[in-house]
Amino acid sequence: MTDSAPLILLIEDEEDLRDAVATLLEMEGYRVAQCIHGEDAWSWLASHPRPDLVLLDLMMPVMNGQAFLARLSQERMLEGVPIIVLSGSPFHPPGAVAYLRKPVAVADLMEVVRRFLPSSGEGPEGPPTS
């Protein structure tokens, strides 16, 4: 994977789910930054490059997904960056381009991610060769 691969910010408090989603995305050629709640993500954003896409859980401790979205909106941060909500909550918050209800099927997740963020074409073995 290269530094030019699209960067996804994954904000999810359930460690097993976060690790599984991150591994899946990395296998598809994406770079993934993992945060455990909204406040953690806010700190990450202050010192890292702007992500190309955000995957956001709604129900988390410290700062939940709704509060994170509200703060992004107030501070006009990440405008133009697609935010996809992954949640067990039936609430569809404003500011998200897509909503996937947990448990989410791998095919559904990848379809939505690819709709907003084309893969670099790189898998775990590196770029394709001819």
Side-chain angles (χ1 to χ4, degrees), residues 99-121:
Y99 172 88
L100 293 170
R101 183 92 187 251
K102 290 179 186 177
V104 62
V106 169
D108 293 341
L109 172 63
M110 293 314 303
E111 178 185 330
V112 171
V113 168
R114 287 186 193 115
R115 185 180 331 145
F116 295 101
L117 189 62
S119 170
S120 67

Side-chain angles (χ1 to χ4, degrees), residues 4-128:
S4 63
L7 175 61
I8 297 174
L9 175 57
L10 173 60
I11 310 168
E12 168 64 58
D13 63 319
E14 294 179 41
E15 183 177 7
D16 291 344
L17 180 59
R18 189 176 62 245
D19 289 345
V21 169
T23 298
L24 172 69
L25 293 168
E26 288 168 348
M27 288 173 57
E28 292 292 319
Y30 299 105
R31 293 179 296 144
V32 180
Q34 299 181 44
C35 294
I36 58 174
H37 50 67
E39 191 63 45
D40 184 33
W42 201 257
S43 296
W44 184 90
L45 286 167
S47 59
H48 290 85
R50 178 182 167 105
D52 298 295
L53 183 136
V54 175
L55 292 173
L56 176 66
D57 185 18
L58 291 182
M59 297 184 290
M60 300 177 290
V62 185
M63 179 190 287
N64 67 30
Q66 293 173 32
F68 181 77
L69 284 170
R71 188 168 175 188
L72 283 179
S73 177
Q74 286 175 340
E75 302 204 17
R76 304 180 71 69
M77 198 170 186
L78 299 186
E79 287 183 338
V81 173
I83 298 173
I84 300 169
V85 168
L86 297 174
S87 183
S89 167
F91 180 69
H92 295 229
V97 296
Y99 172 88
L100 293 170
R101 183 92 187 251
K102 290 179 186 177
V104 62
V106 169
D108 293 341
L109 172 63
M110 293 314 303
E111 178 185 330
V112 171
V113 168
R114 287 186 193 115
R115 185 180 331 145
F116 295 101
L117 189 62
S119 170
S120 67
E122 235 180 81
E125 293 82 35

